[in-house]
Amino acid sequence: MTDYSKTGLILTGGGARAAYQVGVLRAVANLLKEAGWPATHNPFPIICGTSAGAINATALACSADNFGGGLRRLERIWSNIEAHQVYKADSLAMMRSGATWLSVLSVGWMLRKWMKTRPSSLFDNSPLADLLDKVLDFSGLDAGLASGSLHALAITASSYTSGMHLTFYQTLANIEPWVRSQRLAQRDFISVQHLLASSAIPFIFPSIPLNWNGALEYCGDGSMRQLAPISPAIHLGAQKVLIIGAGRMSEVRRDIPESPAYPSIAQIAGHAMSSIFLDSLAVDIERMNRINKTLSMLPEEMRGSSALRPVQTLVIAPSERIDEIATRHIKSLPAPIRVMLGGIGATEVRGSALASYLLFEASFTNELIALGFSDAMNVKEDVRAFFGDWTNARKSSG
């Protein structure tokens, strides 16, 4: 019999790429509906998110008592998103933040002592804070925890102040904070500030101060230094996890021209972003598979005495290169953003990976949603096997 209460959802980072997750979840919801699972019931009592995935995770957690309704609202937001809802994208804003920031990077040693206020990031993402305040109802999170529709929500961020990887979790269960190498956890009430911190892509969006044990620490994107992305779900009790990525888990080697051009700033930045958002997840999944295989080879009595336990995982990640999709939609960005990105090579094919994280435009996000739906439906038998007998699961969960 499936123990529905131990099922976790892990949503990873990637800026605008996180729209892909909505398509996957829409397909999963449709498959569960076909299997007889009520549309209002939340199939993921344990929800963990990082970076832009933290925003999606919290939106779902705030609708735990009506999962289908919450997913529809989330899909409407991503389907109609515009860049100016996430960061200031007009010419004046670019002069105030982007151009000044780039100037400080290039000749900052000359300007530093004369500048009254120093730019903290390439973009001003205050519109995102307004959007989150408008669309998230945290009373729904409290209600979901109280009703049992939700067991726990966890959001991760990376502290620039201490250098530690921080997980903030909200639950009514008696779960003690965990301490691991460079990884700490703290029970907290999740807020918009946590989401802004977790999704603060380095250099792109400003760091956010969060309270950690009574002191403020400036935090940025939770994908940085995230050595074990699956870990929070396991600490919160998950025995099986659905992991939705924001980039291909294994890239096919591209053809290399005979005389490759020197990499642009955008190409280097895109490579760094891929390392931050994709590599740690792939490594952690490999580690989890090795642990599961090792445990399966142990005698039952040895497995029972081990602190480790097998965790069933299902990974759904884009089947196409997101940066290549982005090249078809860069023209939909506001002109000031295109000009700025063009200056560092992000509008070229080789530099489009960087642009893909900033492409909060409906033409791009809708294609990602469609890709997510298609990818999940292509593995629908795996999805059905992962969730098992939903009729029994529903009965066991009351």
Side-chain angles (χ1 to χ4, degrees):
M1 182 180 295
T2 301
D3 188 352
Y4 138 84
S5 66
K6 302 296 185 180
T7 303
L9 173 66
I10 296 177
L11 301 177
T12 61
R17 292 172 173 230
Y20 173 86
Q21 299 166 355
V22 178
V24 172
L25 290 169
R26 169 54 58 204
V28 169
N30 286 358
L31 292 171
L32 294 181
K33 184 178 180 181
E34 291 176 3
W37 188 254
T40 57
H41 283 225
N42 174 30
F44 305 106
I46 299 169
I47 304 179
C48 303
T50 304
S51 191
I55 295 175
N56 287 343
T58 303
L60 294 173
C62 287
S63 301
D65 282 338
N66 185 359
F67 179 79
L71 180 56
R72 286 192 296 273
R73 285 191 295 273
L74 189 59
E75 187 171 2
R76 281 198 299 271
I77 293 169
W78 279 108
S79 296
N80 297 283
I81 195 76
E82 295 179 348
H84 69 84
Q85 295 176 295
V86 179
Y87 51 83
K88 293 185 178 179
D90 57 277
S91 299
L92 183 58
M94 287 295 93
M95 290 298 295
R96 285 176 175 171
S97 60
T100 307
W101 185 82
L102 291 172
S103 298
V104 169
L105 280 183
S106 58
V107 292
W109 58 276
M110 294 172 49
L111 301 176
R112 181 179 176 87
K113 63 182 179 180
W114 289 294
M115 294 184 68
K116 293 182 179 179
T117 58
R118 302 176 188 122
S120 57
S121 62
L122 187 59
F123 293 108
D124 175 354
N125 66 340
S126 55
L128 176 60
D130 296 335
L131 177 64
L132 295 178
D133 278 327
K134 184 184 301 182
V135 301
L136 294 177
D137 180 5
F138 286 95
S139 66
L141 171 57
D142 298 330
L145 291 169
S147 69
S149 298
L150 182 70
H151 176 67
L153 168 68
I155 301 302
T156 58
S158 184
S159 173
Y160 295 121
T161 304
S162 67
M164 302 297 287
H165 184 75
L166 309 178
T167 295
F168 301 85
Y169 67 97
Q170 186 169 343
T171 182
L172 297 181
N174 184 24
I175 301 175
E176 291 297 319
W178 55 92
V179 178
R180 296 292 184 270
S181 176
Q182 300 183 15
R183 294 181 283 127
L184 304 174
Q186 173 177 279
R187 187 189 293 263
D188 210 337
F189 292 99
I190 303 301
S191 68
V192 168
Q193 286 295 99
H194 292 92
L195 305 185
L196 293 175
S198 182
S199 61
I201 301 174
F203 302 112
I204 304 296
F205 297 136
S207 59
I208 301 295
L210 295 177
N211 186 304
W212 186 266
N213 287 331
L216 289 181
E217 296 195 21
Y218 279 87
C219 298
D221 201 293
S223 295
M224 294 184 291
R225 306 197 74 179
Q226 189 176 26
L227 304 177
I230 305 173
S231 174
I234 296 174
H235 283 294
L236 293 171
Q239 294 181 356
K240 58 196 307 184
V241 289
L242 171 63
I243 304 166
I244 307 179
R248 292 180 67 177
M249 300 304 297
S250 58
E251 295 288 3
V252 178
R253 181 179 170 87
R254 285 174 164 170
D255 293 333
I256 300 176
E258 293 184 5
S259 300
Y262 189 84
S264 65
I265 292 176
Q267 188 176 0
I268 296 172
H271 182 75
M273 292 293 183
S274 294
S275 298
I276 291 173
F277 290 111
L278 304 180
D279 292 353
S280 61
L281 178 61
V283 170
D284 201 29
I285 291 170
E286 288 181 1
R287 183 190 300 119
M288 182 62 60
N289 290 336
R290 287 197 302 270
I291 292 173
N292 286 341
K293 184 175 181 179
T294 300
L295 289 173
S296 69
M297 298 171 65
L298 295 177
E300 186 174 348
E301 59 273 14
M302 291 185 66
R303 287 201 303 270
S305 61
S306 172
L308 299 174
R309 67 177 187 271
V311 177
Q312 181 183 352
T313 60
L314 173 62
V315 183
I316 302 178
S319 58
E320 300 179 21
R321 295 188 70 108
I322 301 299
D323 50 350
E324 292 180 358
I325 295 175
T327 60
R328 301 195 289 268
H329 300 280
I330 288 176
K331 61 182 180 297
S332 65
L333 282 166
I337 305 299
R338 293 201 309 274
V339 171
M340 189 199 68
L341 291 178
I344 58 175
T347 56
E348 304 171 7
V349 173
R350 62 180 183 149
S352 59
L354 176 61
S356 71
Y357 295 99
L358 301 172
L359 252 167
F360 293 94
E361 294 290 342
S363 66
F364 177 63
T365 56
N366 277 302
E367 183 165 351
L368 293 190
I369 291 171
L371 177 63
F373 185 90
S374 174
D375 285 347
M377 293 304 292
N378 284 339
V379 294
K380 60 184 177 183
E381 295 307 321
D382 293 335
V383 173
R384 288 168 176 156
F386 174 83
F387 287 103
D389 186 347
W390 279 105
T391 302
N392 288 336
R394 184 173 55 186
K395 290 178 181 177
S396 67
S397 64

